[in-house]
Amino acid sequence: MFPEADEQGMPVMDLDSQKYIKIWQGPNHPGVTGNMSLELTISGDEIMHAKTHVGYLHRGFEKLFERRRYIQCFPTCIRMCVPEPDINEYNLARGTELLAGIDVPPMADWIRMLVLEMARLQVLLRMVPGQAGTIGLGLGAQWGLYYRELILDRFEELTGGRIYHMYILPGGVRGLLPDGFKDRLEDNLKKVESFMKDIDRLIYSNAVFKKRTKGIGIIPNDWIEPYGITGPVARAAGYQTDIRLDYPYLFYNQLEFDYNLEHESDVFARFRVRRKDVDTTVDLLRQIMAKMPDKGDFKAETPNVLHWKVPKGETIVRCESSRGEYTFYMVADGSMYPRRINLRGPSYTHAVAVLEKLLINANISDVSPIMVSLATCPPEIER
Amino acid sequence: MNELIDHIKARFPIYDVIESQPGQIFVSLEASKLIPMITSLKTNHGFTVLVIFTAVDWIEDDKFQITYVLNNPKEKQDLGIRVFIHRDDATMESIHHLWKHAATFQRELKEMFGIDFPGSPGVDDPFLLEGWDNIPPMRRDFDTKKYSEETYFPRPGRETNDPATFMKQMLYPDD
Amino acid sequence: MSEKKQTEQDKFLAPENKKHTVIGPDGEEIQVDPLNDYFCTDLPKVEAPYKGVLEKFLNWARAESLWVLSYGTGCGSIELPPLFSPRFDAYRFGVAMRPTPRQSGVLIISGYLAVKTLKRVIRSYEQMQNPKYVIALGSCTINGGMYWDSYNTINRLDHYLPVDVYIAGCMPRPEAILAGFNKLKERIKSGNAEGANEYIEKLEWYKANQKKIIKDWNMPTYNW
Ligand code: SF4
């Protein structure tokens, strides 16, 4: 029954032999991932071969940056990752500051940290309940969207935008927190916490959910470094990685938190790591609000942004997104336009190399839980 | 980190060593020495993670810079290696045997810059574009604005201003 | 189809779509040409609206049950799930999400369209049953928006599909999308939303535009 291999070790599957069928999953997507398609060759309901096709959202950002000044890059770059735009702003701002040698006032760094954690919470509130949708339990996702709206309200109050904020600029942020902001955020956090208790009962102790997600999509420990796996997926395999702890940026070294580890490395373990991440994020938000100063300078002096020449150099900046390590590589050539800005997100390997390998011999109904557990996000593969 | 650089210097001809941030060093190297150096870094020095693998087009010098950023998760160090190749016959040795996801990067570089990596699995398959028949789009001599205007029916009446002159007119109309 | 065109098309064909021989269960050989055998090559016809009260009644019925194809194409697709969540609750306007084009009447283009997606979107649109409507979200569909100079995203949607309602914004808020739905309802009730017929009347022009940018056109002209 198993396909024979040719001399390169690739399986030979003759579609005309009527043993194999080729089907496409996508480019429409199951729930919370983005538009990408999987070309699956199946035999019965077992997957024999999988190939990822991306490019449905390719906009050529890296080409567009060649024609944009540094400040013009900001409104463009945040559209690179739609669910969690703020990490793009932060990385680009931080990279520009490093290249240009600008020091950021501490107040701005605290606010940036608050914004990044709020963005993470917002994503997780969509991810964590939404992942049960992949096996047909859509109720949690509906609830989750309501609680996500609460966080979006806070964003709207702080920055004026629901999804795209453009709040972090090189040199600092655009403003201070409004009066009473912390109280209202604390209110929302309480609601989120009680909602998470519901989610625990609805999803994590649901027998069907457990049965469907335990023991599938196991990533062995020795794949992690050769495949470049990061973030929650690596942590679910017991691999200690979290950019916030390993390469502390902003003031993460002043906060108390730890790696959220699991060891089974199956789909359920990855979902558990995300669930623990919610608690960590809520806790971090509280710590940030308690520790941050009330007033202070929130923007450093920068040159006139329309004539800003950034000196020659290159650097990499990384931060921890909800999906894993998110890295920018920036090259400046001394002109007003960046020479090259390259983004490498976690999905770059998760959605292509890892997913193609993981799907082999999986059942066809397990494709979407596996895909969602890897948190594939095509916009950051194709930019 | 400095020890490591001294150690590498003794064995490989690296130049242009720049520390861009603490724990983050960029070096340049001849293209032919790349595979031995990366292999040695990976097996002997703990640089087991490939973070970034991309190219920069230096069209003035007629060169492509290919950057490999390796990461050492134990010591928390990053080492960026730049190699330069000619734009005309852009060919580079493949590293797909060292990292599994390197083949994806190479597929993208082949499509976007036209850099060939002989032997890399699936390197000729289209990755992001479908039916592309122009020069590879990330090359600097490809003009995306011109291409867009010729191909995609720009809406009449849409204005584009140079931001510097436009802001000057808005803020200081009298000058 | 002329000989030359055929070979040009063959260049892009997937291997399983080329002409080939299949061995049947009893060992007989069957020649298949998937493009002509599996697809209908007839071009569509204009469906003239009814007259008078009947058309009014039908339009009222159409306007009150807008079923949306849940296919998100751009950034805007992130604002669509909240639209169907308790806070904005589009269901009260008779708007519901459907998973397949065969069941839906409204196609929402929720943002920029890369060329590769455009091909899929056209296919989805042509598979939808009449009457069908298109809502375009965001400035990307109007004039290219953020990506006006990008080499891979289209600038004007109305050159490829007939658009009924544009919703401006980058990205439009859920409230704006709801207002857009109401606008579409008004348009349908007044009998102006004849996009599907317009598409068929001007099919040649639309197809020429589509083929200009989809360079590896390897399928039948309509509804492949
Ligand atoms: S209009 Fe704005 S939000 Fe909508 S797809 Fe375009 S860039 Fe994204």
Side-chain angles (χ1 to χ4, degrees):
Chain A
M1 196 64 207
F2 283 99
E4 292 153 19
D6 64 2
E7 61 270 19
Q8 275 154 15
M10 297 300 279
V12 189
M13 280 167 291
D14 182 11
L15 293 180
D16 287 339
S17 74
Q18 312 193 351
K19 279 188 202 152
Y20 308 101
I21 310 177
K22 194 184 263 188
I23 58 167
W24 287 75
Q25 166 156 341
N28 205 351
H29 54 88
V32 285
T33 57
N35 289 358
M36 63 178 217
S37 56
L38 291 169
E39 184 184 352
L40 306 170
T41 313
I42 56 172
S43 168
D45 59 1
E46 189 180 349
I47 292 163
M48 293 288 153
H49 182 71
K51 190 165 185 331
T52 310
H53 289 260
V54 292
Y56 299 98
L57 302 171
H58 178 59
R59 289 150 276 174
F61 275 116
E62 294 177 354
K63 186 77 191 174
L64 297 185
F65 289 152
E66 284 175 7
R67 313 183 4 92
R68 306 266 194 279
R69 293 173 202 216
Y70 280 89
I71 198 72
Q72 286 179 301
C73 286
F74 275 82
T76 319
C77 88
I78 52 173
R79 283 159 176 82
M80 238 167 346
C81 173
V82 192
E84 195 177 7
D86 306 77
I87 44 178
N88 292 304
E89 286 172 38
Y90 167 72
N91 266 358
L92 189 56
R94 182 79 199 118
T96 317
E97 284 153 10
L98 280 171
L99 287 171
I102 294 173
D103 282 332
V104 184
M107 182 66 194
D109 273 355
W110 281 105
I111 298 182
R112 282 180 181 189
M113 214 151 67
L114 189 80
V115 170
L116 290 183
E117 287 304 319
M118 275 165 67
R120 192 190 318 279
L121 183 60
Q122 173 258 111
V123 183
L124 287 171
L125 281 175
R126 202 166 137 267
M127 267 311 279
V128 172
Q131 62 206 6
T134 58
I135 59 162
L137 178 57
L139 176 63
Q142 289 275 326
W143 293 352
L145 282 174
Y146 172 74
Y147 292 91
R148 171 171 173 266
E149 291 286 321
L150 297 179
I151 308 293
L152 293 188
D153 281 354
R154 295 286 79 71
F155 265 125
E156 202 174 337
E157 187 183 339
L158 181 64
T159 68
R162 269 166 62 87
I163 308 286
Y164 294 139
H165 311 125
M166 286 166 270
Y167 189 63
I168 299 172
L169 292 177
V173 293
R174 271 201 287 125
L176 288 173
L177 302 186
D179 288 340
F181 180 84
K182 289 183 188 171
D183 299 336
R184 288 189 290 276
L185 184 57
E186 176 60 40
D187 241 31
N188 295 158
L189 292 185
K190 280 204 189 97
K191 283 188 188 154
V192 168
E193 274 186 332
S194 78
F195 166 60
M196 276 299 139
K197 286 196 190 110
D198 290 348
I199 284 295
D200 281 343
R201 280 169 48 209
L202 177 74
I203 295 178
Y204 286 90
S205 42
N206 183 323
V208 178
F209 183 77
K210 279 190 192 165
K211 212 163 170 119
R212 282 289 306 274
T213 53
K214 275 195 176 170
I216 60 168
I218 296 178
I219 294 184
N221 224 322
D222 53 358
W223 282 19
I224 290 180
E225 284 173 4
Y227 278 93
I229 296 172
T230 64
V233 183
R235 288 201 288 275
Y239 183 90
Q240 289 202 350
T241 167
D242 190 330
I243 305 297
R244 292 173 290 177
L245 289 159
D246 297 344
Y247 305 87
Y249 51 101
L250 299 173
F251 290 122
Y252 278 109
N253 48 8
Q254 297 189 22
L255 306 179
E256 284 165 25
F257 63 112
D258 205 355
Y259 303 98
N260 293 324
L261 297 181
E262 286 282 333
H263 297 278
E264 293 82 10
S265 191
D266 54 2
V267 172
F268 190 66
R270 274 169 240 147
F271 287 168
R272 296 259 321 169
V273 169
R274 300 234 161 75
R275 171 70 189 81
K276 288 185 189 167
D277 278 353
V278 179
D279 289 345
T280 312
T281 308
V282 170
D283 182 46
L284 284 182
L285 277 169
R286 292 219 168 97
Q287 289 186 36
I288 293 168
M289 285 194 290
K291 287 191 179 157
M292 72 188 288
D294 278 337
K295 282 210 171 49
D297 209 3
F298 58 85
K299 181 96 168 56
E301 280 282 306
T302 48
N304 182 341
V305 286
L306 293 175
H307 305 277
W308 192 3
K309 291 203 168 114
V310 173
K312 201 171 158 120
E314 63 195 308
T315 188
I316 68 170
V317 235
R318 47 158 70 91
C319 71
E320 176 84 11
S321 76
S322 63
R323 278 163 279 113
E325 173 181 341
Y326 203 80
T327 312
F328 269 44
Y329 168 61
M330 293 177 61
V331 182
D333 56 1
S335 71
M336 288 192 284
Y337 303 89
R339 187 78 197 194
R340 179 99 169 95
I341 298 176
N342 176 256
L343 152 74
R344 198 280 206 173
S347 307
Y348 203 92
T349 158
H350 290 182
V352 188
V354 180
L355 187 64
E356 281 177 3
K357 186 96 193 257
L358 213 53
L359 285 181
I360 292 186
N361 293 352
N363 192 299
I364 192 167
S365 61
D366 295 338
V367 174
S368 53
I370 292 177
M371 221 169 126
V372 171
S373 78
L374 295 174
T376 59
C377 177
E380 72 193 26
I381 306 173
E382 36 206 58
R383 282 96 66 185
Chain B
M1 197 90 200
N2 284 336
E3 267 170 46
L4 175 81
I5 293 297
D6 292 342
H7 192 86
I8 302 173
K9 240 188 198 149
R11 297 184 52 210
F12 297 100
I14 54 172
Y15 56 100
D16 267 357
V17 180
I18 293 171
E19 179 161 21
S20 54
Q21 280 174 51
Q24 200 184 90
I25 289 185
F26 282 89
V27 302
S28 297
L29 184 76
E30 255 173 56
S32 58
K33 300 280 187 331
L34 178 88
I35 303 283
M37 175 154 155
I38 286 198
T39 317
S40 134
L41 283 171
K42 189 184 170 202
T43 43
N44 305 333
H45 300 285
F47 283 89
T48 46
V49 179
L50 175 67
V51 185
I52 282 192
F53 178 4
T54 191
V56 186
D57 189 354
W58 296 100
I59 193 170
E60 326 61 313
D61 308 340
D62 205 14
K63 272 182 187 152
F64 280 133
Q65 169 192 340
I66 305 187
T67 311
Y68 302 77
V69 180
L70 309 185
N71 172 255
N72 182 340
K74 298 240 165 49
E75 312 273 326
K76 320 245 179 287
Q77 291 167 345
D78 290 309
L79 184 66
I81 303 162
R82 332 178 186 93
V83 300
F84 293 92
I85 57 173
H86 270 288
R87 283 179 98 249
D88 308 326
D89 56 335
T91 315
M92 189 62 212
E93 281 172 84
S94 162
I95 57 163
H96 68 274
H97 54 288
L98 294 171
W99 283 281
K100 308 276 185 203
H101 57 309
T104 320
F105 286 103
Q106 289 171 177
R107 227 170 115 194
E108 185 185 342
L109 286 180
K110 170 87 201 259
E111 181 166 70
M112 288 293 159
F113 286 91
I115 304 175
D116 197 6
F117 295 87
S120 171
V123 72
D124 292 325
D125 297 357
F127 186 52
L128 303 178
L129 307 169
E130 214 176 44
W132 184 259
D133 58 358
N134 216 310
I135 55 174
M138 281 300 290
R139 292 200 173 206
R140 273 187 104 86
D141 40 5
F142 173 75
D143 188 346
T144 162
K145 178 162 174 255
K146 187 157 147 270
Y147 182 85
S148 164
E149 275 166 4
E150 280 169 6
T151 321
Y152 298 122
F153 312 104
R155 187 176 280 276
R158 187 194 196 285
E159 269 181 50
T160 313
N161 296 302
D162 174 55
T165 37
F166 180 71
M167 286 312 285
K168 199 165 168 220
Q169 271 167 16
M170 295 293 286
L171 295 174
Y172 316 104
D174 309 330
D175 289 1
Chain C
M1 209 177 299
S2 70
E3 196 68 3
K4 183 162 168 279
K5 227 175 168 188
Q6 183 74 43
T7 47
E8 210 166 65
Q9 219 178 26
D10 273 357
K11 207 169 68 191
F12 301 112
L13 274 189
E16 59 266 27
N17 282 346
K18 295 207 170 111
K19 281 185 194 162
H20 61 284
T21 327
V22 183
I23 315 250
D26 301 330
E28 77 272 29
E29 292 194 349
I30 307 166
Q31 297 281 343
V32 286
D33 174 13
L35 282 197
N36 287 324
D37 294 353
Y38 300 168
F39 302 100
C40 169
T41 42
D42 289 352
L43 289 185
K45 294 189 192 66
V46 175
E47 287 173 31
Y50 295 99
K51 298 248 155 50
V53 190
L54 180 58
E55 177 71 6
K56 269 208 173 128
F57 169 73
L58 287 177
N59 277 341
W60 169 79
R62 287 164 185 160
E64 294 303 325
S65 81
L66 297 171
W67 286 11
V68 181
L69 175 62
S70 62
Y71 180 58
T73 59
C75 325
S77 56
I78 202 156
E79 287 287 36
L80 293 182
L83 198 64
F84 294 91
S85 78
R87 188 186 262 189
F88 298 102
D89 195 11
Y91 291 107
R92 67 200 148 118
F93 295 100
V95 181
M97 285 280 210
R98 303 308 300 173
T100 146
R102 303 285 185 202
Q103 296 176 352
S104 30
V106 184
L107 179 62
I108 296 191
I109 305 293
S110 55
Y112 59 84
L113 275 177
V115 178
K116 209 171 172 176
T117 319
L118 180 71
K119 191 164 150 185
R120 277 78 184 169
V121 163
I122 293 169
R123 183 176 185 184
S124 303
Y125 180 74
E126 290 176 356
Q127 285 187 351
M128 282 162 57
Q129 312 286 320
N130 269 357
K132 49 194 174 186
Y133 315 101
V134 178
I135 295 185
L137 289 193
S139 43
C140 279
T141 50
I142 302 175
N143 59 11
M146 274 282 145
Y147 317 115
W148 61 279
D149 52 352
S150 160
Y151 56 86
N152 201 38
T153 59
I154 62 163
N155 279 359
R156 298 179 61 175
L157 182 61
D158 51 4
H159 275 61
Y160 310 100
L161 292 177
V163 182
D164 287 294
V165 175
Y166 281 115
I167 302 173
C170 181
M171 61 190 34
R173 301 172 55 89
E175 290 93 333
I177 304 179
L178 285 181
F181 275 118
N182 279 335
K183 196 84 199 161
L184 179 63
K185 281 186 182 184
E186 278 170 30
R187 224 177 119 82
I188 297 174
K189 282 181 189 162
S190 66
N192 287 331
E194 286 292 334
N197 283 338
E198 189 192 314
Y199 184 68
I200 294 166
E201 276 161 17
K202 287 165 63 181
L203 192 69
E204 254 170 48
W205 182 72
Y206 280 115
K207 285 291 160 189
N209 289 343
Q210 292 167 1
K211 285 184 184 171
K212 181 177 173 201
I213 63 166
I214 303 177
K215 291 182 185 132
D216 58 344
W217 192 280
N218 54 7
M219 45 269 180
T221 306
Y222 183 82
N223 195 1
W224 60 92

